[in-house]
Amino acid sequence: AYGSGDASGSSNATFESNVICHGPNAATHDSFYQQLMTNNATWTVIDRGEPTSYFAVWDLIDYMGQGDYFSRQCDLLKAEWKSMALKNMQANPGDAELLAELWTFGPLEPVLEVSKFLSNLASCLVPVDMGTFDSNLANQFESVVKLAALAAKEDPSVTFSPKEFIEAGSAGTEKLKFSVFENCPEYEVTKALMSSFTPSHWSCFDLAFTETVKNAVISLGKRDRLFNLCKRYFNSDEDDWSLCKKLIEFPAEYVKADDKEKEAYTRHLKEQLEMRDKEGLTCAQYLTKSDNFELFKCAIV
């Protein structure tokens, strides 16, 4: 059979698009840049995915074929990022794992391991002579660890425990304002980190000991330290409350102190023990639940 014919047809399609503009209203690139620099309220995070999806700016420059030309600038970007990341980690220790994932230009580097070491070592400190965690104690701690690191760098064959490390750095110090408490989890972490330290680690103590570390030491004197410690121990599998007991029991110097010093020390301790969380539980109540009668006796001020 043979035939012919014509046919026609039409269809409609609808497309919907959405454009969102961020940033300042600027007519030129120069004006755009100036407004960004003077008003960060116009800044917006446009993407934040999994850590594995992050792409470093210096890698982007290298990918676009400009790595050799801008190699110095890339190195400066890396160094600044490391410095900022280190400060953030010291302020928020829980970010350490995330930071390790993002540290794509090598494994967890010495400066970060030293920072973790300092954070845990600081948690083991206990003031002596009824002292407090103030700037004088923090400055002395900084001086001691830097001198100890210098000694370790000069003689890598010498191995230290954390306590011996502090002793090495305080050899010329007339009177230490703190002691290192060994019987706590943080001490074990510190000891494990030290066991793998190399000369590179000892060389970066100056870089790792930032103002953030110093402020973290001073913050140990806040009234919530003991409370947070007791609550953490109660809510975990840790059953050694020795550090809590050390912080609660009256030091030997208390007997020789005058009435004013005794009153100040007792008042500060009471404030810590009576602090409450949002459930209304006090530090002393968490100690009661520890089933540690000796510890609770120490808490009765």
Side-chain angles (χ1 to χ4, degrees):
Y2 176 80
S4 63
D6 295 314
S8 64
S10 64
S11 63
N12 294 318
T14 301
F15 295 92
E16 185 176 327
S17 63
N18 184 25
V19 177
I20 300 176
C21 296
H22 297 290
N25 184 13
T28 65
H29 286 93
D30 289 340
S31 174
F32 182 79
Y33 174 79
Q34 289 299 329
Q35 290 187 58
L36 283 178
M37 292 299 100
T38 56
N39 181 15
N40 63 10
T42 60
W43 297 12
T44 302
V45 176
I46 59 174
D47 183 28
R48 178 172 286 164
E50 294 298 319
T52 52
S53 71
Y54 289 9
F55 200 79
V57 174
W58 47 88
D59 288 338
L60 179 61
I61 294 173
D62 183 62
Y63 177 77
M64 297 302 291
Q66 299 293 330
D68 293 336
Y69 187 76
F70 290 114
S71 60
R72 175 58 180 160
Q73 288 85 342
C74 287
D75 288 341
L76 290 172
L77 278 172
K78 285 183 183 181
E80 181 60 19
W81 189 91
K82 288 180 181 181
S83 176
M84 293 173 65
L86 178 62
K87 290 178 182 177
N88 287 336
M89 190 196 79
Q90 290 166 345
N92 303 285
D95 292 343
E97 281 188 37
L98 174 62
L99 185 56
E101 288 186 60
L102 299 180
W103 206 272
T104 55
F105 37 91
L108 199 60
E109 295 195 1
V111 66
L112 286 178
E113 291 187 320
V114 170
S115 177
K116 186 176 180 181
F117 166 84
L118 290 171
S119 175
N120 280 277
L121 182 58
S123 297
C124 304
L125 301 185
V126 177
V128 299
D129 294 339
M130 296 175 62
T132 58
F133 286 102
D134 55 16
S135 58
N136 291 327
L137 187 151
N139 288 334
Q140 188 186 66
F141 178 61
E142 177 182 11
S143 175
V144 167
V145 296
K146 286 182 177 179
L147 286 173
L150 185 62
K153 180 184 175 183
E154 291 176 349
D155 189 0
S157 63
V158 178
T159 57
F160 296 105
S161 68
K163 190 170 184 179
E164 291 168 339
F165 176 75
I166 291 297
E167 289 172 353
S170 59
T173 305
E174 183 176 343
K175 178 66 175 177
L176 269 183
K177 299 179 181 298
F178 60 87
S179 62
V180 177
F181 190 73
E182 300 177 69
N183 197 15
C184 62
E186 290 81 4
Y187 187 87
E188 295 304 316
V189 173
T190 306
K191 188 162 63 173
L193 285 167
M194 285 190 73
S195 66
S196 61
F197 275 11
T198 65
S200 296
H201 290 84
W202 303 123
S203 298
C204 63
F205 268 69
D206 282 339
L207 176 62
F209 204 109
T210 62
E211 283 299 314
T212 307
V213 175
K214 188 179 294 185
N215 290 335
V217 173
I218 296 173
S219 71
L220 292 173
K222 292 183 178 179
R223 61 193 294 257
D224 63 350
R225 185 204 181 184
L226 181 58
F227 177 84
N228 291 332
L229 193 63
C230 291
K231 188 170 182 178
R232 189 192 86 190
Y233 280 16
F234 177 75
N235 291 324
S236 71
D237 294 330
E238 300 172 43
D239 56 3
D240 191 338
W241 294 64
S242 301
L243 180 55
C244 291
K245 185 177 180 181
K246 181 69 175 178
L247 294 172
I248 292 172
E249 64 186 5
F250 288 94
E253 297 80 13
Y254 184 85
V255 178
K256 300 177 183 179
D258 59 38
D259 292 341
K260 188 176 180 180
E261 290 174 326
K262 288 180 179 179
E263 182 183 352
Y265 186 86
T266 304
R267 182 172 62 250
H268 179 65
L269 185 54
K270 269 190 173 182
E271 287 175 352
Q272 296 180 76
L273 293 170
E274 293 171 356
M275 189 173 179
R276 295 179 181 274
D277 60 13
K278 59 183 180 180
E279 285 82 26
L281 293 174
T282 65
C283 180
Q285 285 173 301
Y286 277 113
L287 291 170
T288 307
K289 292 183 178 180
S290 73
D291 294 328
N292 188 323
F293 182 66
E294 289 299 317
L295 179 61
F296 185 63
K297 279 200 302 184
C298 290
I300 303 174
V301 181

